[in-house]
């Protein structure tokens, strides 16, 4: 019998941020994990990989003690145990020596979303600011999508997800919630059962979500803007545009309508590949349905034109006025709901100096290989502290990342739960706690709740939390900030007080969550859109938004700035998420690996036949950045010329030890940067 069920929060990089109930067997052991039934959004549902979290929590390969490298980089047999205090002393000494030689900007604390908890994820910035180490421009995930949403709507917020249950049409554009955000499907199912709602999915291939949709619009990668323009052409042409709404709540409507006159469904079909008849039918359905909910995903933003694409799509509910109705409007993310939470203590924002160099996270390969476009006039990066991410696998241009980590003059400390391929390149490896072994607080993207999680079990082996490591290094380095003298829980309570929010013990659900949902009028932008004009913007001056604005039209449609297929590279690659992995998390748990099988490329059967290949054959994908060998799967749920590889497999899962991100580019998306993982031209050959 279990000792009890303990409340927690899923920390992984997913908009659902599920409220959890964890079966605690004893002080160090968990059993099953389930969604919290009382949570208004999670509603008892959790994805299969987190339900099996005991498999990861108690994995035999979890790191249990600090390790020091004594042999060749990249080899598991190159490490020997080292005491915690000795390990921390060495890290601090190496950072100090590097800073003494090159200046503090030579040290780059590098992190991302292995945990989405604010204290354990973002506390690394407090050390960064206190020591004046190089800053990080966090671009790898949402920069392109954020920029596109803000271009039209403004602040990053939208309609409450729970309103999907009151929708008559739900459009999931560029997302695959069956695999990556399962709770969305709970609300879709309610709308279908109670209202007979339709589900439309826009995606470059037939995902598990598209499989259960009423309509799947299968676009070519990087052409969603053209599809959106074709739909809007019909909305204006056939009288579905709400002119009274646009006059009151938008700017640039007349210019938009004139611009769309040439963007016929036939014009859109020539670019995006979706048949004109399907564009017409979807446009009519969308135009006739007042309660239409547009759930904007991340996938189609991860192209060089991703911000422009996402903005083009968000024009749809502003044309029809869907924002006016319950169950209507749009949602991309909810970060602005938490804007009043004071992060000063967590991140040391009172020490921030914006004159300190900022390096682009996505361009870690070029940074570590000395690209002056990134380093500017500053020093090389000769010391790294890595938490919550695995750049050897997840970053683009991974061959450059590998070359950078292989530099003999680079010192790297990696704080991790497993011996990842990044950890294998480190000089010092420190064992990290999981979310069940420390305290934290969490914002959400897909719902409206701020959540708190307390420790569930004792740490595995000698594992220490991110917060503990940051504070211990700060002490050795002479960094001064009162956050370094506080426990994680003290920081949480103090930050809540500084924000004017209640104590965690006073949260709803017995001290678990705080609902930040906005009133209907505000959530639906009826008291004005959250931007300077107070109106949705149909025309955008991209030059005023970011430095990489070249080639982005000021009106919606197709921006011709993608890495287009050509005679040498006739295919376009989408490196999509898989159902059983989450970035590189879970890609070492037996059940997830068993479900996914092996690295596989989905290729249209006619393309395989034209290449003289068959289902199951070994194939080689390549471009000027690298080549990868994997197996082909014949799949007719995509357009010819598109190749999809699901899941970020470890590099070593590929027969040549080179993973899929060897092919993806570190070029900054436009106009503000961002990872362009789904914007890759390749060739395909027999292996």
């Amino acid at each position: 019998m279990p000792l009890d069920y303990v409340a927690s929060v899923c920390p992984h990089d997913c908009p659902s941020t599920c409220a959890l109930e964890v079966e605690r067997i004893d002080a160090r052991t968990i059993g099953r994990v389930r969604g919290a039934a009382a949570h208004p959004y999670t509603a008892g549902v959790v994805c299969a990989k987190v339900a099996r979290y005991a498999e990861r929590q108690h994995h035999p390969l979890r790191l249990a003690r600090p390790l020091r490298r004594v042999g060749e980089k990249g080899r598991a047999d190159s490490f020997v145990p080292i005491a915690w205090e000795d390990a921390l002393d060495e890290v601090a000494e190496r950072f100090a020596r590097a800073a003494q030689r090159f200046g503090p900007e030579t040290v780059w604390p590098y992190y991302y979303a292995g945990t989405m908890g604010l204290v354990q994820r973002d506390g690394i910035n407090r050390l960064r600011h206190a020591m004046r180490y190089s800053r990080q421009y966090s671009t790898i995930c949402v920069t392109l999508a954020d920029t596109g949403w803000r271009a039209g709507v403004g602040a990053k917020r939208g309609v409450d997800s729970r309103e999907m249950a009151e929708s008559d049409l739900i459009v999931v554009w560029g997302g695959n919630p069956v695999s990556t955000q399962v709770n969305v499907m709970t609300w879709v199912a309610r709308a279908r059962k109670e209202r007979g709602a339709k589900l439309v999915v826009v995606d470059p291939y037939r995902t598990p979500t598209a499989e259960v949709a009423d309509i799947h619009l299968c676009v070519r990668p990087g052409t969603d803007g053209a599809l959106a323009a074709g739909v809007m052409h019909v909305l204006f042409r056939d009288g579905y545009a709400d002119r009274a709404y646009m006059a009151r709540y938008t700017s640039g409507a007349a210019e938009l309508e004139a611009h769309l006159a040439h963007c016929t469904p036939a014009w859109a079909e020539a670019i995006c590949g979706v048949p004109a008849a399907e564009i017409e039918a979807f446009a009519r359905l969308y135009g006739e349905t007042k309660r239409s909910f547009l759930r904007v995903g991340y996938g189609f933003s991860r192209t060089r034109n991703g911000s422009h694409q996402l903005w083009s799509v968000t024009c749809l509910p502003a044309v029809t006025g869907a924002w006016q109705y319950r169950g209507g409007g749009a949602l991309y993310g909810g970060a602005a709901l938490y804007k009043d939470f004071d992060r000063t203590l967590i991140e040391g924002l009172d020490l921030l100096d914006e004159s300190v160099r900022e390096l682009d996270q996505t361009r870690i390969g070029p940074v570590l290989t000395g690209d002056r476009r990134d380093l500017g006039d500053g020093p090389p990066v000769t010391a790294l502290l890595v938490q919550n991410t695995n750049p050897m696998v997840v970053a683009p241009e991974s061959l450059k990342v590998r070359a950078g980590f292989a530099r003999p003059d680079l010192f790297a400390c990696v704080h991790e739960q497993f011996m990842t391929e990044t950890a294998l390149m480190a000089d010092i490896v420190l064992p990290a706690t999981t979310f069940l072994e420390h305290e934290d607080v969490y914002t959400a993207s897909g719902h409206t709740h701020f959540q708190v999680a307390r420790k569930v079990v004792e740490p595995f082996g000698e594992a220490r939390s991110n917060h503990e490591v940051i504070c211990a290094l700060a002490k050795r380095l002479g960094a001064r900030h009162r956050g370094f003298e506080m426990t994680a829980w003290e920081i949480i309570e103090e930050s809540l007080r500084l924000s004017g929010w209640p104590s965690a013990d006073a949260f709803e659900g017995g001290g678990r969550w705080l609902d930040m949902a906005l009133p209907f009028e505000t959530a639906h932008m009826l008291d004005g859109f959250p931007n300077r004009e107070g109106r949705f913007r149909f025309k955008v001056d991209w030059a005023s938004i970011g430095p990489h604005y070249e080639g982005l039209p000021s009106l919606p449609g197709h921006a011709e700035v993608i890495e287009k297929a050509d005679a040498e590279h006739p295919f376009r690659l989408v490196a999509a998420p898989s159902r059983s992995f989450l970035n590189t998390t879970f890609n070492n748990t037996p059940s997830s690996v068993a479900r996914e099988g092996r690295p596989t490329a989905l290729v249209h059967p006619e393309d395989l036949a034209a290449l003289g290949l068959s289902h199951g054959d070994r194939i080689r994908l390549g471009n000027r950045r690298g080549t990868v060998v994997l197996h082909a799967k014949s799949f007719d749920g995509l357009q010819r010329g598109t190749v999809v590889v699901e899941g970020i497999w470890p590099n070593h899962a590929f027969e040549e030890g080179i993973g899929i991100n060897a092919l993806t580019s570190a070029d900054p998306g436009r106009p503000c940067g961002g990872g362009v993982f789904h914007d890759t031209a390749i060739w395909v050959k027999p292996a």
Side-chain angles (χ1 to χ4, degrees):
M1 293 291 291
L3 179 64
D4 53 4
Y5 272 94
V6 185
S8 192
V9 180
C10 181
H12 294 295
D13 190 8
C14 165
S16 289
T17 321
C18 292
L20 303 178
E21 293 170 351
V22 182
E23 184 182 37
R24 184 166 61 187
I25 306 300
D26 57 42
R28 294 185 178 274
T29 312
I30 68 163
R32 292 168 295 178
V33 177
R34 64 193 186 194
H39 189 270
Y41 178 76
T42 302
V45 177
V46 70
C47 69
K49 50 188 171 284
V50 172
R52 302 189 299 264
Y53 202 82
E55 187 178 17
R56 187 172 193 276
Q57 176 72 17
H58 304 303
H59 197 294
L61 297 181
R62 268 195 71 182
L63 293 170
R65 65 193 66 178
L67 301 170
R68 183 175 187 273
R69 185 175 61 82
V70 294
E72 181 183 345
K73 286 187 178 185
R75 295 177 57 93
D77 59 2
S78 292
F79 293 89
V80 296
I82 184 175
W84 258 106
E85 301 310 305
D86 293 340
L88 292 167
D89 287 345
E90 181 164 345
V91 175
E93 180 186 352
R94 294 294 296 270
F95 283 7
R97 280 165 45 192
Q100 185 176 28
R101 181 179 180 188
F102 293 106
E105 289 182 343
T106 195
V107 182
W108 193 20
Y110 189 91
Y111 76 108
Y112 202 54
T115 177
M116 297 295 279
L118 303 187
V119 176
Q120 305 293 349
R121 180 189 67 192
D122 299 336
I124 193 171
N125 289 324
R126 191 180 339 115
L127 180 66
R128 181 196 314 277
H129 300 327
M131 297 302 297
R132 300 177 62 82
Y133 293 153
S134 283
R135 295 185 295 140
Q136 176 177 293
Y137 182 30
S138 295
T139 56
I140 205 162
C141 185
V142 298
T143 298
L144 281 156
D146 284 2
T147 303
W149 180 266
R150 289 172 179 146
V153 175
K156 189 177 174 181
R157 59 174 173 82
V159 176
D160 192 324
S161 291
R162 291 169 286 185
E163 281 195 36
M164 280 189 283
E166 302 176 65
S167 303
D168 295 318
L169 172 63
I170 298 165
V171 181
V172 176
W173 200 309
N176 178 19
V178 165
S179 295
T180 62
Q181 195 187 161
V182 67
N183 304 80
V184 167
M185 301 308 294
T186 300
W187 301 94
V188 170
R190 290 190 187 185
R192 287 176 130 177
K193 180 179 179 181
E194 297 170 10
R195 303 182 63 85
K198 300 291 186 183
L199 172 64
V200 176
V201 171
V202 184
D203 204 280
Y205 75 113
R206 192 172 62 237
T207 65
T209 310
E211 288 270 10
V212 300
D214 297 284
I215 298 172
H216 171 212
L217 300 176
C218 186
V219 297
R220 294 186 181 117
T223 65
D224 299 74
L227 174 58
V231 171
M232 286 188 283
H233 171 94
V234 177
L235 296 176
F236 277 102
R237 185 196 69 194
D238 293 354
Y240 296 119
D242 189 330
R243 298 182 185 280
Y245 176 87
M246 287 190 288
R248 182 174 179 183
Y249 290 104
T250 74
S251 64
E255 196 167 353
L256 172 68
E257 183 174 6
H259 162 72
L260 292 171
H262 81 280
C263 299
T264 65
W267 167 90
E269 177 183 356
I271 298 171
C272 72
V274 177
E278 294 184 21
I279 298 173
E280 294 265 6
F282 169 62
R284 287 195 298 272
L285 176 63
Y286 190 81
E288 291 168 354
T289 309
K290 301 298 184 184
R291 295 190 179 203
S292 58
F293 194 109
L294 175 62
R295 187 64 177 92
V296 179
Y298 302 92
F300 72 113
S301 74
R302 291 180 177 142
T303 58
R304 289 164 178 79
N305 63 359
S307 293
H308 192 274
Q309 290 208 124
L310 192 141
W311 165 66
S312 296
V313 169
T314 61
C315 292
L316 269 67
V319 170
T320 64
W323 288 103
Q324 301 167 87
Y325 309 105
R326 273 202 85 77
L331 175 66
Y332 153 58
L337 298 176
Y338 314 104
K339 62 182 175 58
D340 294 331
F341 183 70
D342 193 321
R343 305 186 186 208
T344 304
L345 194 55
I346 294 173
E347 297 194 51
L349 296 178
D350 46 343
L351 301 177
L352 170 62
D353 182 349
E354 294 188 354
S355 70
V356 173
R357 176 177 68 180
E358 185 176 53
L359 300 174
D360 187 331
Q361 167 196 37
T362 304
R363 290 184 56 78
I364 184 172
V367 166
L368 294 184
T369 52
D371 195 320
R372 278 292 153 195
R373 291 173 296 178
D374 300 281
L375 298 175
D377 296 329
V381 170
T382 62
L384 282 172
L385 172 62
V386 180
Q387 289 185 323
N388 310 322
T389 188
N390 184 12
M392 280 282 293
V393 183
V394 304
E397 297 189 19
S398 60
L399 295 181
K400 285 187 178 179
V401 180
R402 181 180 299 190
F405 269 94
R407 282 170 36 208
D409 66 324
L410 177 72
F411 173 82
C413 170
V414 175
H415 187 201
E416 252 294 356
Q417 297 161 359
F418 293 90
M419 186 60 86
T420 64
E421 283 163 282
T422 303
L424 284 171
M425 301 297 285
D427 298 277
I428 296 290
V429 178
L430 304 175
T433 50
T434 68
F435 75 103
L436 298 171
E437 299 165 350
H438 56 236
E439 296 84 15
D440 218 330
V441 289
Y442 301 85
T443 61
S445 180
H447 60 78
T448 61
H449 295 81
F450 184 90
Q451 298 181 83
V452 63
R454 297 160 178 84
K455 185 168 75 170
V456 174
V457 290
E458 293 302 314
F460 173 76
E462 299 178 22
R464 295 187 187 181
S465 71
N466 291 353
H467 174 69
E468 291 173 298
V469 168
I470 292 299
C471 292
L473 288 175
K475 181 178 180 180
R476 287 165 169 79
L477 290 163
R480 297 189 179 277
H481 191 275
R482 66 193 192 95
F484 296 131
E485 309 300 323
M486 303 170 71
T487 66
W489 191 256
E490 287 170 341
I491 287 180
I492 290 168
E493 287 285 18
E494 177 78 358
S495 297
L496 290 170
R497 186 186 66 77
L498 292 171
S499 305
W501 293 9
S503 167
D505 291 336
F507 279 19
E508 303 158 48
R512 299 173 67 181
W513 54 75
L514 190 64
D515 195 347
M516 311 298 292
L518 298 170
F520 176 88
E521 291 76 11
T522 303
H524 286 257
M525 317 296 173
L526 298 180
D527 51 8
F529 280 83
N531 56 41
R532 187 173 55 194
E533 297 90 343
R535 293 169 172 264
F536 183 89
R537 295 175 287 224
F538 286 130
K539 185 176 184 180
V540 171
D541 176 15
W542 296 101
S544 69
I545 294 177
H548 310 292
Y549 60 86
E550 298 88 353
L552 297 185
S554 60
L555 290 163
H558 181 56
E560 290 272 4
V561 295
I562 60 174
E563 186 170 272
K564 291 184 288 188
D566 57 26
E568 186 180 355
H569 306 91
F571 293 88
R572 295 260 296 154
L573 170 69
V574 174
S578 66
R579 189 166 187 169
S580 301
F581 302 159
L582 206 168
N583 299 320
T584 60
T585 303
F586 300 104
N587 71 7
N588 66 338
T589 53
S591 62
S592 293
V593 173
R595 188 187 186 284
E596 296 301 324
R598 63 187 179 189
T600 301
L602 307 180
V603 186
H604 196 282
E606 294 179 19
D607 283 334
L608 284 177
L611 292 165
L613 294 164
S614 302
H615 176 85
D617 283 352
R618 292 168 58 253
I619 61 174
R620 186 179 294 277
L621 314 181
N623 56 24
R624 296 178 182 89
R625 290 179 284 270
T627 71
V628 173
V629 175
L630 67 177
H631 289 80
K633 179 178 180 179
S634 180
F635 182 70
D636 64 1
L638 38 64
Q639 292 196 38
R640 290 198 64 180
T642 299
V643 174
V644 174
V645 177
E646 291 186 320
I648 305 182
W649 289 85
N651 294 319
H652 63 72
F654 294 79
E655 66 176 66
E656 295 181 337
I658 298 173
I660 198 64
N661 276 319
L663 307 181
T664 59
S665 172
D667 287 356
R670 303 184 187 189
C672 297
V676 296
F677 293 98
H678 304 334
D679 189 2
T680 307
I682 60 168
W683 47 254
V684 180
K685 299 176 182 178

